Amino acid sequence: MKPNATSSKRFRISLLITFLAGILLFNACYDDYGLTTEDYDVVVTNYDKERENHFPGNKTFVIVDSVFHLVDEDKDDDISRRYDRTILNQIKENMLAYGYTEETDPANNLPDVVLRAAVTTSTHYGAIWNPWYPGWGWGGWNPWYPWYPGGTTTYYSYDTGTLFVDFTDTDDWDPNGAPDQDVKVLWQGIMNGLLQSSTTGTSGRITNSIDQMYKQSPYLNVSK
Amino acid sequence: MKVKYIAVVLLLLTLGTAQAQEYITTITYNTAMPMGEMDNFIGKYSWKGFAIEGRRFLNRDFSVGGSFGWNIFDEKTDELLEFESGAASGTQIRYVNSFPIVANAHYYIGKRRNFRAYVGLNAGVYYIYQRFDMGVRTINNNNWHFGFAPEVGFLLPVGEVQLTLNIKYNYALDSGSRLNGDSNNDYQYLGINLGVAFSY
């Protein structure tokens, strides 16, 4: 029996419904998870696997008293120093909590561990073309796609900041070497996140991230 | 001798009672549960998916056809990622989009215009797009996989149409590699699909 007119109509209706359902699904395909600025913070920790026998062992530490700013030579250093003391204090607090003792006279008593903090910033750019919002006239000219009807292009930029905490073992230092000798980093904690204007918010995110660096590095704990 | 028996069976399958040809178009709302290795990446049940399917009955009990579908899996998690010499933490959004494009065959128990149960097998290709967002970074991966999906289900006449419900185990075979570098990149998910069939 060949399909009749009614059957063909049903078939076309069913295809139309399917197409519309697909369109709706496409537009609602991903949940909006309502991400906040804090959700974009990432904390990564890493240690030198070949020297993991250095853990835990070390007991005394000192933190370099200023936060380094990593800036290209041809650019101005416009990174704020507002959070320097917060960073250094939080690192110190975590080291003490993990059983380390702060060396108060490092010039005369070389500590076991030297920590250094550094920050850098980056600006990221991007563009999003949304074909579902018809714009006036033609979308533009592109040699690969000569004409595309309407749509809108949104350009955006955002700034991110990265904090590095380097943990070096002075056993790896060359006592006869130059003061600016290269030193292998035994452990490093990195925090990356969006820059925001709120001081309270940023300060809280920094302290939480430094705490997280230590939380996910239990091998640093010498008090156990 | 064995060939003769196989030929007889195939002939019986393609003949059967002299019923009029029947065609079915099916639209289903698809849900799915990740299984196997896929469950390690996304464990959350998917409530987003659909499929369209066409079947042609070769006789009263047997049909062949094809289908196209789309299942969306996504999950937000803050699972700690541990690797050999460290770890990473932060909010992650994980996605898998699966597009099966398959041919199928089904065997039915029951008569047309009555309740009919069926078993079937789908086989074809799956296009799978995997994406991982963490912080301001996104990495993604897409591959074509060969795959198959056995299923059981039923057709229940309701007025002018038929209600259909089926359970389908989708297995997209290994192809390419996972985002974390693992060489085993197969995907498995159990689908529970509800929809409407138009018969003509």
PDB file of all heavy atoms in Angstrom, chain A residues 51 54 58-62 103 106 109-115 167-176 181 183-186:
ATOM      1  N   ARG A  51      62.672  14.561  43.031  1.00  0.00           N
ATOM      2  CA  ARG A  51      63.232  14.939  44.335  1.00  0.00           C
ATOM      3  C   ARG A  51      62.179  14.842  45.431  1.00  0.00           C
ATOM      4  O   ARG A  51      62.259  15.542  46.439  1.00  0.00           O
ATOM      5  CB  ARG A  51      63.815  16.349  44.265  1.00  0.00           C
ATOM      6  CG  ARG A  51      65.014  16.454  43.326  1.00  0.00           C
ATOM      7  CD  ARG A  51      65.651  17.838  43.358  1.00  0.00           C
ATOM      8  NE  ARG A  51      64.763  18.850  42.804  1.00  0.00           N
ATOM      9  CZ  ARG A  51      64.683  20.092  43.271  1.00  0.00           C
ATOM     10  NH1 ARG A  51      65.386  20.471  44.314  1.00  0.00           N
ATOM     11  NH2 ARG A  51      63.863  20.955  42.713  1.00  0.00           N
ATOM     12  N   HIS A  54      62.748  14.660  49.234  1.00  0.00           N
ATOM     13  CA  HIS A  54      63.009  15.827  50.065  1.00  0.00           C
ATOM     14  C   HIS A  54      61.858  16.082  51.032  1.00  0.00           C
ATOM     15  O   HIS A  54      62.016  16.835  51.992  1.00  0.00           O
ATOM     16  CB  HIS A  54      63.202  17.071  49.194  1.00  0.00           C
ATOM     17  CG  HIS A  54      64.514  17.091  48.482  1.00  0.00           C
ATOM     18  ND1 HIS A  54      65.345  18.189  48.516  1.00  0.00           N
ATOM     19  CD2 HIS A  54      65.145  16.163  47.739  1.00  0.00           C
ATOM     20  CE1 HIS A  54      66.441  17.927  47.799  1.00  0.00           C
ATOM     21  NE2 HIS A  54      66.331  16.701  47.313  1.00  0.00           N
ATOM     22  N   ASN A  58      62.241  19.052  55.726  1.00  0.00           N
ATOM     23  CA  ASN A  58      62.649  20.428  56.019  1.00  0.00           C
ATOM     24  C   ASN A  58      61.836  21.052  57.149  1.00  0.00           C
ATOM     25  O   ASN A  58      60.656  20.788  57.283  1.00  0.00           O
ATOM     26  CB  ASN A  58      62.478  21.258  54.750  1.00  0.00           C
ATOM     27  CG  ASN A  58      63.173  20.615  53.570  1.00  0.00           C
ATOM     28  OD1 ASN A  58      64.379  20.451  53.568  1.00  0.00           O
ATOM     29  ND2 ASN A  58      62.399  20.198  52.584  1.00  0.00           N
ATOM     30  N   LYS A  59      62.495  21.901  57.975  1.00  0.00           N
ATOM     31  CA  LYS A  59      61.806  22.402  59.154  1.00  0.00           C
ATOM     32  C   LYS A  59      61.730  23.912  59.256  1.00  0.00           C
ATOM     33  O   LYS A  59      60.732  24.442  59.725  1.00  0.00           O
ATOM     34  CB  LYS A  59      62.511  21.870  60.411  1.00  0.00           C
ATOM     35  CG  LYS A  59      62.393  20.366  60.604  1.00  0.00           C
ATOM     36  CD  LYS A  59      60.987  19.969  60.956  1.00  0.00           C
ATOM     37  CE  LYS A  59      60.920  18.473  61.303  1.00  0.00           C
ATOM     38  NZ  LYS A  59      59.554  18.047  61.551  1.00  0.00           N
ATOM     39  N   THR A  60      62.773  24.619  58.849  1.00  0.00           N
ATOM     40  CA  THR A  60      62.766  26.083  58.994  1.00  0.00           C
ATOM     41  C   THR A  60      62.549  26.726  57.630  1.00  0.00           C
ATOM     42  O   THR A  60      62.905  26.168  56.599  1.00  0.00           O
ATOM     43  CB  THR A  60      64.074  26.602  59.604  1.00  0.00           C
ATOM     44  OG1 THR A  60      65.170  26.221  58.755  1.00  0.00           O
ATOM     45  CG2 THR A  60      64.283  26.004  60.988  1.00  0.00           C
ATOM     46  N   PHE A  61      61.941  27.912  57.653  1.00  0.00           N
ATOM     47  CA  PHE A  61      61.640  28.578  56.385  1.00  0.00           C
ATOM     48  C   PHE A  61      61.774  30.086  56.521  1.00  0.00           C
ATOM     49  O   PHE A  61      61.753  30.647  57.619  1.00  0.00           O
ATOM     50  CB  PHE A  61      60.224  28.224  55.928  1.00  0.00           C
ATOM     51  CG  PHE A  61      59.133  28.958  56.682  1.00  0.00           C
ATOM     52  CD1 PHE A  61      58.572  30.123  56.173  1.00  0.00           C
ATOM     53  CD2 PHE A  61      58.678  28.480  57.911  1.00  0.00           C
ATOM     54  CE1 PHE A  61      57.564  30.793  56.880  1.00  0.00           C
ATOM     55  CE2 PHE A  61      57.681  29.139  58.611  1.00  0.00           C
ATOM     56  CZ  PHE A  61      57.118  30.304  58.098  1.00  0.00           C
ATOM     57  N   VAL A  62      61.896  30.708  55.361  1.00  0.00           N
ATOM     58  CA  VAL A  62      61.798  32.163  55.286  1.00  0.00           C
ATOM     59  C   VAL A  62      61.071  32.500  53.984  1.00  0.00           C
ATOM     60  O   VAL A  62      61.160  31.736  53.008  1.00  0.00           O
ATOM     61  CB  VAL A  62      63.194  32.830  55.341  1.00  0.00           C
ATOM     62  CG1 VAL A  62      63.986  32.561  54.062  1.00  0.00           C
ATOM     63  CG2 VAL A  62      63.068  34.327  55.566  1.00  0.00           C
ATOM     64  N   GLU A 103      62.458  31.181  60.282  1.00  0.00           N
ATOM     65  CA  GLU A 103      63.816  31.593  60.654  1.00  0.00           C
ATOM     66  C   GLU A 103      63.843  33.118  60.719  1.00  0.00           C
ATOM     67  O   GLU A 103      63.581  33.783  59.709  1.00  0.00           O
ATOM     68  CB  GLU A 103      64.817  31.070  59.632  1.00  0.00           C
ATOM     69  CG  GLU A 103      66.251  31.523  59.886  1.00  0.00           C
ATOM     70  CD  GLU A 103      66.720  31.185  61.281  1.00  0.00           C
ATOM     71  OE1 GLU A 103      66.772  29.987  61.607  1.00  0.00           O
ATOM     72  OE2 GLU A 103      67.011  32.145  62.036  1.00  0.00           O
ATOM     73  N   PRO A 106      67.784  34.886  58.901  1.00  0.00           N
ATOM     74  CA  PRO A 106      68.231  34.089  57.769  1.00  0.00           C
ATOM     75  C   PRO A 106      69.615  34.473  57.263  1.00  0.00           C
ATOM     76  O   PRO A 106      70.289  33.658  56.633  1.00  0.00           O
ATOM     77  CB  PRO A 106      67.157  34.350  56.705  1.00  0.00           C
ATOM     78  CG  PRO A 106      66.533  35.637  57.080  1.00  0.00           C
ATOM     79  CD  PRO A 106      66.609  35.722  58.556  1.00  0.00           C
ATOM     80  N   ASN A 109      71.623  32.323  59.725  1.00  0.00           N
ATOM     81  CA  ASN A 109      71.172  30.926  59.828  1.00  0.00           C
ATOM     82  C   ASN A 109      70.382  30.585  58.575  1.00  0.00           C
ATOM     83  O   ASN A 109      69.226  30.985  58.440  1.00  0.00           O
ATOM     84  CB  ASN A 109      70.288  30.725  61.057  1.00  0.00           C
ATOM     85  CG  ASN A 109      71.005  31.068  62.345  1.00  0.00           C
ATOM     86  OD1 ASN A 109      72.131  30.630  62.580  1.00  0.00           O
ATOM     87  ND2 ASN A 109      70.356  31.868  63.182  1.00  0.00           N
ATOM     88  N   LEU A 110      71.036  29.862  57.670  1.00  0.00           N
ATOM     89  CA  LEU A 110      70.357  29.521  56.417  1.00  0.00           C
ATOM     90  C   LEU A 110      69.169  28.606  56.720  1.00  0.00           C
ATOM     91  O   LEU A 110      69.332  27.535  57.302  1.00  0.00           O
ATOM     92  CB  LEU A 110      71.328  28.804  55.468  1.00  0.00           C
ATOM     93  CG  LEU A 110      70.789  28.516  54.068  1.00  0.00           C
ATOM     94  CD1 LEU A 110      70.534  29.814  53.309  1.00  0.00           C
ATOM     95  CD2 LEU A 110      71.775  27.631  53.292  1.00  0.00           C
ATOM     96  N   PRO A 111      67.965  29.011  56.321  1.00  0.00           N
ATOM     97  CA  PRO A 111      66.801  28.154  56.589  1.00  0.00           C
ATOM     98  C   PRO A 111      66.793  26.957  55.640  1.00  0.00           C
ATOM     99  O   PRO A 111      67.502  26.936  54.632  1.00  0.00           O
ATOM    100  CB  PRO A 111      65.617  29.086  56.308  1.00  0.00           C
ATOM    101  CG  PRO A 111      66.143  30.077  55.329  1.00  0.00           C
ATOM    102  CD  PRO A 111      67.599  30.257  55.625  1.00  0.00           C
ATOM    103  N   ASP A 112      65.977  25.984  55.970  1.00  0.00           N
ATOM    104  CA  ASP A 112      65.843  24.805  55.107  1.00  0.00           C
ATOM    105  C   ASP A 112      65.085  25.133  53.826  1.00  0.00           C
ATOM    106  O   ASP A 112      65.337  24.550  52.782  1.00  0.00           O
ATOM    107  CB  ASP A 112      65.091  23.690  55.843  1.00  0.00           C
ATOM    108  CG  ASP A 112      65.842  23.243  57.095  1.00  0.00           C
ATOM    109  OD1 ASP A 112      67.079  23.112  57.027  1.00  0.00           O
ATOM    110  OD2 ASP A 112      65.177  23.057  58.140  1.00  0.00           O
ATOM    111  N   VAL A 113      64.109  26.032  53.943  1.00  0.00           N
ATOM    112  CA  VAL A 113      63.205  26.333  52.826  1.00  0.00           C
ATOM    113  C   VAL A 113      63.139  27.831  52.613  1.00  0.00           C
ATOM    114  O   VAL A 113      63.067  28.606  53.568  1.00  0.00           O
ATOM    115  CB  VAL A 113      61.776  25.794  53.134  1.00  0.00           C
ATOM    116  CG1 VAL A 113      60.786  26.230  52.068  1.00  0.00           C
ATOM    117  CG2 VAL A 113      61.785  24.281  53.255  1.00  0.00           C
ATOM    118  N   VAL A 114      63.182  28.224  51.346  1.00  0.00           N
ATOM    119  CA  VAL A 114      62.954  29.625  50.995  1.00  0.00           C
ATOM    120  C   VAL A 114      61.746  29.671  50.062  1.00  0.00           C
ATOM    121  O   VAL A 114      61.687  28.923  49.069  1.00  0.00           O
ATOM    122  CB  VAL A 114      64.184  30.245  50.304  1.00  0.00           C
ATOM    123  CG1 VAL A 114      63.863  31.664  49.841  1.00  0.00           C
ATOM    124  CG2 VAL A 114      65.375  30.250  51.256  1.00  0.00           C
ATOM    125  N   LEU A 115      60.806  30.531  50.418  1.00  0.00           N
ATOM    126  CA  LEU A 115      59.605  30.684  49.570  1.00  0.00           C
ATOM    127  C   LEU A 115      59.597  32.051  48.929  1.00  0.00           C
ATOM    128  O   LEU A 115      60.045  33.033  49.521  1.00  0.00           O
ATOM    129  CB  LEU A 115      58.327  30.504  50.407  1.00  0.00           C
ATOM    130  CG  LEU A 115      58.147  29.111  50.969  1.00  0.00           C
ATOM    131  CD1 LEU A 115      58.154  29.161  52.483  1.00  0.00           C
ATOM    132  CD2 LEU A 115      56.844  28.499  50.487  1.00  0.00           C
ATOM    133  N   PHE A 167      58.593  27.136  46.222  1.00  0.00           N
ATOM    134  CA  PHE A 167      59.150  26.519  47.443  1.00  0.00           C
ATOM    135  C   PHE A 167      60.473  25.873  47.030  1.00  0.00           C
ATOM    136  O   PHE A 167      60.487  24.953  46.217  1.00  0.00           O
ATOM    137  CB  PHE A 167      58.124  25.491  47.922  1.00  0.00           C
ATOM    138  CG  PHE A 167      58.451  24.686  49.148  1.00  0.00           C
ATOM    139  CD1 PHE A 167      57.683  24.818  50.294  1.00  0.00           C
ATOM    140  CD2 PHE A 167      59.465  23.731  49.149  1.00  0.00           C
ATOM    141  CE1 PHE A 167      57.914  24.036  51.418  1.00  0.00           C
ATOM    142  CE2 PHE A 167      59.709  22.953  50.266  1.00  0.00           C
ATOM    143  CZ  PHE A 167      58.930  23.095  51.399  1.00  0.00           C
ATOM    144  N   THR A 168      61.582  26.399  47.555  1.00  0.00           N
ATOM    145  CA  THR A 168      62.884  25.835  47.187  1.00  0.00           C
ATOM    146  C   THR A 168      63.571  25.277  48.423  1.00  0.00           C
ATOM    147  O   THR A 168      63.438  25.814  49.531  1.00  0.00           O
ATOM    148  CB  THR A 168      63.790  26.883  46.529  1.00  0.00           C
ATOM    149  OG1 THR A 168      64.054  27.936  47.472  1.00  0.00           O
ATOM    150  CG2 THR A 168      63.156  27.466  45.294  1.00  0.00           C
ATOM    151  N   ASP A 169      64.300  24.220  48.237  1.00  0.00           N
ATOM    152  CA  ASP A 169      65.049  23.568  49.310  1.00  0.00           C
ATOM    153  C   ASP A 169      66.485  24.076  49.249  1.00  0.00           C
ATOM    154  O   ASP A 169      67.151  23.940  48.219  1.00  0.00           O
ATOM    155  CB  ASP A 169      64.995  22.054  49.100  1.00  0.00           C
ATOM    156  CG  ASP A 169      65.604  21.270  50.255  1.00  0.00           C
ATOM    157  OD1 ASP A 169      66.407  21.854  51.021  1.00  0.00           O
ATOM    158  OD2 ASP A 169      65.284  20.079  50.385  1.00  0.00           O
ATOM    159  N   THR A 170      66.972  24.662  50.319  1.00  0.00           N
ATOM    160  CA  THR A 170      68.317  25.242  50.280  1.00  0.00           C
ATOM    161  C   THR A 170      69.400  24.167  50.166  1.00  0.00           C
ATOM    162  O   THR A 170      70.541  24.487  49.854  1.00  0.00           O
ATOM    163  CB  THR A 170      68.582  26.109  51.519  1.00  0.00           C
ATOM    164  OG1 THR A 170      68.328  25.346  52.698  1.00  0.00           O
ATOM    165  CG2 THR A 170      67.687  27.342  51.504  1.00  0.00           C
ATOM    166  N   ASP A 171      69.051  22.919  50.384  1.00  0.00           N
ATOM    167  CA  ASP A 171      70.014  21.844  50.121  1.00  0.00           C
ATOM    168  C   ASP A 171      70.394  21.791  48.654  1.00  0.00           C
ATOM    169  O   ASP A 171      71.444  21.276  48.286  1.00  0.00           O
ATOM    170  CB  ASP A 171      69.417  20.484  50.529  1.00  0.00           C
ATOM    171  CG  ASP A 171      69.408  20.313  52.040  1.00  0.00           C
ATOM    172  OD1 ASP A 171      70.101  21.091  52.731  1.00  0.00           O
ATOM    173  OD2 ASP A 171      68.690  19.408  52.522  1.00  0.00           O
ATOM    174  N   ASP A 172      69.505  22.340  47.805  1.00  0.00           N
ATOM    175  CA  ASP A 172      69.781  22.352  46.368  1.00  0.00           C
ATOM    176  C   ASP A 172      70.586  23.575  45.944  1.00  0.00           C
ATOM    177  O   ASP A 172      70.941  23.716  44.780  1.00  0.00           O
ATOM    178  CB  ASP A 172      68.450  22.335  45.595  1.00  0.00           C
ATOM    179  CG  ASP A 172      67.676  21.048  45.822  1.00  0.00           C
ATOM    180  OD1 ASP A 172      68.308  19.982  45.936  1.00  0.00           O
ATOM    181  OD2 ASP A 172      66.427  21.110  45.897  1.00  0.00           O
ATOM    182  N   TRP A 173      70.827  24.474  46.877  1.00  0.00           N
ATOM    183  CA  TRP A 173      71.594  25.673  46.549  1.00  0.00           C
ATOM    184  C   TRP A 173      73.080  25.350  46.527  1.00  0.00           C
ATOM    185  O   TRP A 173      73.557  24.495  47.267  1.00  0.00           O
ATOM    186  CB  TRP A 173      71.337  26.776  47.577  1.00  0.00           C
ATOM    187  CG  TRP A 173      69.960  27.354  47.565  1.00  0.00           C
ATOM    188  CD1 TRP A 173      68.831  26.805  47.031  1.00  0.00           C
ATOM    189  CD2 TRP A 173      69.558  28.572  48.159  1.00  0.00           C
ATOM    190  NE1 TRP A 173      67.762  27.620  47.231  1.00  0.00           N
ATOM    191  CE2 TRP A 173      68.159  28.722  47.933  1.00  0.00           C
ATOM    192  CE3 TRP A 173      70.223  29.590  48.860  1.00  0.00           C
ATOM    193  CZ2 TRP A 173      67.438  29.821  48.365  1.00  0.00           C
ATOM    194  CZ3 TRP A 173      69.493  30.689  49.302  1.00  0.00           C
ATOM    195  CH2 TRP A 173      68.104  30.802  49.051  1.00  0.00           C
ATOM    196  N   ASP A 174      73.798  26.076  45.691  1.00  0.00           N
ATOM    197  CA  ASP A 174      75.253  25.964  45.673  1.00  0.00           C
ATOM    198  C   ASP A 174      75.798  27.050  46.620  1.00  0.00           C
ATOM    199  O   ASP A 174      75.706  28.241  46.323  1.00  0.00           O
ATOM    200  CB  ASP A 174      75.779  26.184  44.251  1.00  0.00           C
ATOM    201  CG  ASP A 174      77.298  26.154  44.187  1.00  0.00           C
ATOM    202  OD1 ASP A 174      77.948  25.955  45.236  1.00  0.00           O
ATOM    203  OD2 ASP A 174      77.837  26.336  43.082  1.00  0.00           O
ATOM    204  N   PRO A 175      76.351  26.639  47.768  1.00  0.00           N
ATOM    205  CA  PRO A 175      76.797  27.649  48.738  1.00  0.00           C
ATOM    206  C   PRO A 175      77.901  28.551  48.197  1.00  0.00           C
ATOM    207  O   PRO A 175      78.096  29.658  48.679  1.00  0.00           O
ATOM    208  CB  PRO A 175      77.291  26.798  49.925  1.00  0.00           C
ATOM    209  CG  PRO A 175      77.562  25.451  49.354  1.00  0.00           C
ATOM    210  CD  PRO A 175      76.620  25.278  48.204  1.00  0.00           C
ATOM    211  N   ASN A 176      78.598  28.062  47.170  1.00  0.00           N
ATOM    212  CA  ASN A 176      79.680  28.870  46.592  1.00  0.00           C
ATOM    213  C   ASN A 176      79.255  29.539  45.296  1.00  0.00           C
ATOM    214  O   ASN A 176      80.081  30.151  44.607  1.00  0.00           O
ATOM    215  CB  ASN A 176      80.912  27.990  46.333  1.00  0.00           C
ATOM    216  CG  ASN A 176      81.420  27.358  47.618  1.00  0.00           C
ATOM    217  OD1 ASN A 176      81.530  28.046  48.637  1.00  0.00           O
ATOM    218  ND2 ASN A 176      81.694  26.061  47.587  1.00  0.00           N
ATOM    219  N   GLN A 181      72.161  32.768  41.339  1.00  0.00           N
ATOM    220  CA  GLN A 181      72.186  31.447  40.703  1.00  0.00           C
ATOM    221  C   GLN A 181      70.767  30.927  40.463  1.00  0.00           C
ATOM    222  O   GLN A 181      69.836  31.259  41.203  1.00  0.00           O
ATOM    223  CB  GLN A 181      72.952  30.464  41.611  1.00  0.00           C
ATOM    224  CG  GLN A 181      72.274  30.262  42.962  1.00  0.00           C
ATOM    225  CD  GLN A 181      73.052  29.350  43.889  1.00  0.00           C
ATOM    226  OE1 GLN A 181      72.864  28.134  43.824  1.00  0.00           O
ATOM    227  NE2 GLN A 181      73.895  29.927  44.721  1.00  0.00           N
ATOM    228  N   VAL A 183      67.978  28.301  40.799  1.00  0.00           N
ATOM    229  CA  VAL A 183      67.670  27.304  41.828  1.00  0.00           C
ATOM    230  C   VAL A 183      66.451  26.511  41.383  1.00  0.00           C
ATOM    231  O   VAL A 183      65.461  27.086  40.927  1.00  0.00           O
ATOM    232  CB  VAL A 183      67.375  27.979  43.183  1.00  0.00           C
ATOM    233  CG1 VAL A 183      66.984  26.936  44.219  1.00  0.00           C
ATOM    234  CG2 VAL A 183      68.573  28.787  43.643  1.00  0.00           C
ATOM    235  N   LYS A 184      66.553  25.207  41.534  1.00  0.00           N
ATOM    236  CA  LYS A 184      65.402  24.371  41.152  1.00  0.00           C
ATOM    237  C   LYS A 184      64.289  24.556  42.170  1.00  0.00           C
ATOM    238  O   LYS A 184      64.521  24.540  43.383  1.00  0.00           O
ATOM    239  CB  LYS A 184      65.810  22.896  41.121  1.00  0.00           C
ATOM    240  CG  LYS A 184      66.624  22.506  39.910  1.00  0.00           C
ATOM    241  CD  LYS A 184      66.838  20.989  39.912  1.00  0.00           C
ATOM    242  CE  LYS A 184      67.657  20.567  38.715  1.00  0.00           C
ATOM    243  NZ  LYS A 184      67.897  19.106  38.705  1.00  0.00           N
ATOM    244  N   VAL A 185      63.096  24.701  41.658  1.00  0.00           N
ATOM    245  CA  VAL A 185      61.918  24.800  42.522  1.00  0.00           C
ATOM    246  C   VAL A 185      61.482  23.389  42.888  1.00  0.00           C
ATOM    247  O   VAL A 185      61.298  22.545  42.022  1.00  0.00           O
ATOM    248  CB  VAL A 185      60.783  25.542  41.796  1.00  0.00           C
ATOM    249  CG1 VAL A 185      59.499  25.477  42.602  1.00  0.00           C
ATOM    250  CG2 VAL A 185      61.184  26.995  41.553  1.00  0.00           C
ATOM    251  N   LEU A 186      61.317  23.139  44.172  1.00  0.00           N
ATOM    252  CA  LEU A 186      60.905  21.806  44.623  1.00  0.00           C
ATOM    253  C   LEU A 186      59.388  21.648  44.537  1.00  0.00           C
ATOM    254  O   LEU A 186      58.884  20.589  44.178  1.00  0.00           O
ATOM    255  CB  LEU A 186      61.388  21.588  46.058  1.00  0.00           C
ATOM    256  CG  LEU A 186      61.051  20.246  46.698  1.00  0.00           C
ATOM    257  CD1 LEU A 186      61.626  19.093  45.878  1.00  0.00           C
ATOM    258  CD2 LEU A 186      61.581  20.190  48.126  1.00  0.00           C
TER     259      LEU A 186
END
